Amino acid sequence: MNNLSRLIFAYLKRDLILNIIWILVLVSMVAAGLYKLEDLYGNSSSVVKLIEMFKTPMMTIMFCKIPDLNHYNIAIAYGAVMLPLMGALGSVMGIQIGVKGTRMAEANGSTELMLSKAIKRRVPEISSFIEVILVSVVTTILIFLCLAFANMKGQNIKSAFAFSAIIGAFIFMFGGLAILVSQIFSDVRTVNATCYFILGIAYFFRSVIDVKNFDSLRIFSPFNWLESMHVYYDLNLQYLILPLFSGVIFSVVGIYLVGKRDINTGFINEKNRGRKKASFALKGFITIFIRNERKTIFFWLVGVELLAVMYGGLSNSLSTLANGNKNMLLILGVSANTAKRELFQQFSIMAILMIVFFSIFAALVVLYREEKDAKSGAFDSLLSKPVSHKKVYFTYVFGSLISGVLIYTITYLSLFASISRKHLSMAFIFKGYLSYLCVLIVFVLIGALIISAIPSFYPFLYFYLSIMFLLTIMKDLFKVPLWFLKISPFGWMKGAPLSKVSNPVYISFFIISVVCVVIGLYRYKRRDLV
């Protein structure tokens, strides 16, 4: 096929830094998780306690379901923690590669420029498909080498290969999904939102299946395929075929559909309603920005809403689940003699943490639109008008902040509408909302500072947010010291609203927020918009 090899090389060169960063993150997380679990739970008695902890419903929601076995080892616990986490991160990696090489390339004019040369219509998508394969293979090999050289009890060469191969298969599968979805929708935002929504629903579906024991549905849930492989016991490589086969089907169908549509279009296109029927939201910069991001906001809202309702439903059986379950009590940070009131309060705090984390993540995704618009040339039209850097800056900052607050507020209300409020006061609910609202604001404004000063480091903010959230939730499991948790806003709000947060903390949050806005604006004014 004409110029295919050259285009593949060009794609790899274009995405080299991004792919290296992603691969390093995945491999380093595999190594770090291995080292930490071996260090803390290296002996048999500690492994048994750890396994019992993972059998609690709340841990099952976040990670894999622990099987009922006569003997456990550290490898089984490692697989339960790392497989779903690495599968989700690998899926995000595959989506980014797939979207960037297909729909995003069309949106910024790269595909049209390539097709003006001696390149056939489907070659760009085929090149993106091959790039996904190559990145998946390289990631698989490096993770395998990392695990193979580790002396972890319960692991052998076959299990190390199975672990690395299933992660590579998930990268490939969701990369193929991104190629397919890119043919269906004509807008980059819609493609990204749809892919991440499918990923979120797949993970949510796994949680429901595992908690409710719907074993007959496991074959329909991609993240249950991870569990069903039994990587560290009774290895079943048949489930490796499913994501590989799905990835091939998604990619082949997507590449076939390329020839059935015009460039810069999709099979589902938005209708332009015209000026007479224009929305009220088009009257201001911030409202226009929020309207443009409405699909991303909506999909995130639906995903976090499902999580909130699930935690609310779980609270109705909290007393039964926690009765005599020492490990669940340990996760919640309470003792067996703790009153029901405090038990429900600690559970509510954990649920709030989950909601605020995903609300922050959603706001940061919306804020990152600034960097994408800058690279795509969307600011060219702005430069022809008397529009200041200040106005553009506050459009993205306040637009993303409003989006995050909106998602947080709606899902927070849904959580406490579905949760048992018999042991919760209105003061507790109100203080909890305000406390973690401060955390959300600080994180978003830190993101605004980074995207203004050093936008190339912005993707690392996702990694920092995710790691600090997991360490905060799992502080008792990983025995994380409080001083380390305080390198993020989560650590300073530990236990709120049950534990009183001092006024100096809120004052510090306010000062940090103001400093981030001022320095961010200062840096933004002194850089080119494009």
Side-chain angles (χ1 to χ4, degrees):
M1 195 172 291
N2 55 343
N3 292 315
L4 176 61
S5 59
R6 291 183 179 181
L7 196 55
I8 293 170
F9 179 77
Y11 274 28
L12 291 173
K13 185 178 179 180
R14 179 198 64 186
D15 301 333
L16 181 63
I17 301 299
L18 178 64
N19 291 338
I20 289 176
I21 291 174
W22 263 113
I23 292 172
L24 287 177
V25 167
L26 293 177
V27 175
S28 61
M29 287 193 67
V30 168
L34 182 63
Y35 168 77
K36 193 65 178 178
L37 282 180
E38 280 278 9
D39 182 51
L40 294 176
Y41 301 96
N43 57 69
S44 300
S45 59
S46 298
V47 170
V48 172
K49 292 180 181 179
L50 181 64
I51 292 294
E52 290 177 356
M53 185 184 299
F54 276 117
K55 286 186 175 182
T56 61
M58 284 182 297
M59 299 299 286
T60 303
I61 288 174
M62 291 189 289
F63 302 108
C64 281
K65 182 180 180 180
I66 295 292
D68 293 323
L69 301 173
N70 295 324
H71 175 71
Y72 294 99
N73 52 53
I74 191 65
I76 294 175
Y78 178 78
V81 176
M82 297 304 295
L83 270 174
L85 180 61
M86 300 304 298
L89 287 175
S91 302
V92 173
M93 178 184 182
I95 290 171
Q96 286 195 356
I97 297 172
V99 174
K100 191 172 183 179
T102 52
R103 178 53 58 188
M104 192 175 293
E106 288 192 27
N108 61 29
S110 300
T111 302
E112 188 173 2
L113 182 62
M114 287 184 287
L115 295 180
S116 66
K117 306 296 181 181
I119 294 178
K120 292 183 179 180
R121 180 68 181 90
R122 291 188 173 93
V123 171
E125 278 70 19
I126 295 174
S127 300
S128 181
F129 170 64
I130 295 175
E131 181 186 9
V132 171
I133 295 176
L134 293 175
V135 172
S136 303
V137 171
V138 171
T139 306
T140 300
I141 293 172
L142 292 178
I143 292 178
F144 170 73
L145 293 175
C146 179
L147 291 173
F149 285 102
N151 186 24
M152 181 169 62
K153 295 178 181 178
Q155 178 182 263
N156 53 37
I157 294 297
K158 287 184 179 180
S159 57
F161 167 77
F163 185 102
S164 55
I166 193 67
I167 302 304
F170 263 64
I171 297 173
F172 173 67
M173 178 175 65
F174 277 89
L177 175 67
I179 294 173
L180 174 60
V181 176
S182 294
Q183 314 314 314
I184 298 174
F185 299 103
S186 60
D187 179 58
V188 177
R189 295 183 181 93
T190 307
V191 173
N192 274 317
T194 303
C195 290
Y196 289 124
F197 180 73
I198 293 172
L199 174 60
I201 289 296
Y203 204 93
F204 173 78
F205 193 38
R206 179 211 64 80
S207 300
V208 173
I209 289 173
D210 285 347
V211 172
K212 298 296 183 180
N213 294 317
F214 295 149
D215 294 336
S216 59
L217 300 177
R218 296 174 71 86
I219 191 66
F220 302 107
S221 171
F223 281 94
N224 283 111
W225 301 343
L226 290 167
E227 301 175 8
S228 299
M229 272 190 67
H230 302 162
V231 171
Y232 291 111
Y233 64 97
D234 299 332
L235 182 60
N236 185 359
L237 288 175
Q238 291 180 353
Y239 283 91
L240 181 61
I241 299 174
L242 291 173
L244 292 174
F245 179 75
S246 300
V248 170
I249 294 298
F250 293 151
S251 301
V252 170
V253 173
I255 292 171
Y256 170 77
L257 293 177
V258 172
K260 302 297 180 180
R261 64 175 180 85
D262 293 332
I263 192 171
N264 288 324
T265 64
F267 287 95
I268 300 177
N269 297 291
E270 289 190 12
K271 295 181 180 179
N272 187 356
R273 297 188 298 175
R275 181 176 295 181
K276 292 183 178 180
K277 297 182 180 180
S279 168
F280 174 79
L282 298 178
K283 292 188 175 182
F285 270 58
I286 295 177
T287 52
I288 289 174
F289 173 63
I290 293 176
R291 186 180 185 276
N292 286 339
E293 294 295 309
R294 66 190 184 279
K295 294 174 183 175
T296 301
I297 297 169
F298 173 75
F299 283 125
W300 274 102
L301 176 61
V302 172
V304 184
E305 183 77 8
L306 290 172
L307 181 69
V309 173
M310 183 170 64
Y311 265 90
L314 191 61
S315 69
N316 296 322
S317 57
L318 182 60
S319 298
T320 304
L321 295 172
N323 186 26
N325 193 327
K326 295 181 180 180
N327 297 289
M328 185 171 181
L329 297 175
L330 177 62
I331 296 171
L332 293 174
V334 296
S335 64
N337 298 322
T338 302
K340 285 186 177 181
R341 181 181 181 85
E342 186 178 349
L343 177 65
F344 274 83
Q345 288 173 337
Q346 291 290 354
F347 176 81
S348 300
I349 292 172
M350 176 174 283
I352 295 171
L353 274 169
M354 297 289 291
I355 289 172
V356 75
F357 164 71
F358 285 107
S359 300
I360 294 169
F361 208 101
L364 293 177
V365 170
V366 173
L367 178 60
Y368 193 56
R369 189 72 220 176
E370 190 280 336
E371 180 66 8
K372 294 178 180 179
D373 287 343
K375 289 182 177 179
S376 67
F379 291 151
D380 289 347
S381 59
L382 287 176
L383 294 175
S384 64
K385 305 287 184 181
V387 178
S388 65
H389 285 65
K390 179 180 178 181
K391 191 164 190 176
V392 175
Y393 173 76
F394 283 118
T395 295
Y396 286 98
V397 173
F398 286 125
S400 59
L401 192 58
I402 290 170
S403 302
V405 172
L406 179 68
I407 293 172
Y408 173 60
T409 303
I410 293 176
T411 53
Y412 192 91
L413 292 174
S414 298
L415 172 66
F416 286 99
S418 57
I419 204 170
S420 176
R421 298 188 301 278
K422 181 179 179 181
H423 304 286
L424 302 175
S425 65
M426 288 303 299
F428 175 90
I429 296 173
F430 184 69
K431 288 180 181 178
Y433 174 78
L434 292 180
S435 297
Y436 290 98
L437 179 63
C438 295
V439 174
L440 184 150
I441 292 172
V442 171
F443 262 115
V444 175
L445 295 182
I446 289 174
L449 172 61
I450 293 175
I451 207 166
S452 302
I454 41 176
S456 59
F457 281 85
Y458 192 83
F460 287 102
L461 185 58
Y462 297 134
F463 180 69
Y464 164 71
L465 169 65
S466 302
I467 290 298
M468 295 313 301
F469 164 72
L470 285 173
L471 291 178
T472 303
I473 287 286
M474 310 290 291
K475 58 184 181 298
D476 294 313
L477 174 64
F478 294 116
K479 301 177 182 177
V480 184
L482 181 59
W483 65 264
F484 186 80
L485 293 177
K486 287 187 176 181
I487 65 174
S488 84
F490 286 127
W492 292 98
M493 286 296 170
K494 180 182 177 294
L498 190 58
S499 301
K500 185 178 180 181
V501 179
S502 61
N503 290 330
V505 172
Y506 290 110
I507 295 172
S508 300
F509 274 28
F510 176 76
I511 294 173
I512 292 172
S513 301
V514 172
V515 169
C516 287
V517 171
V518 172
I519 297 178
L521 179 59
Y522 175 81
R523 294 287 300 175
Y524 200 78
K525 282 183 175 181
R526 280 154 182 79
R527 78 171 214 190
D528 292 333
L529 284 177
V530 293

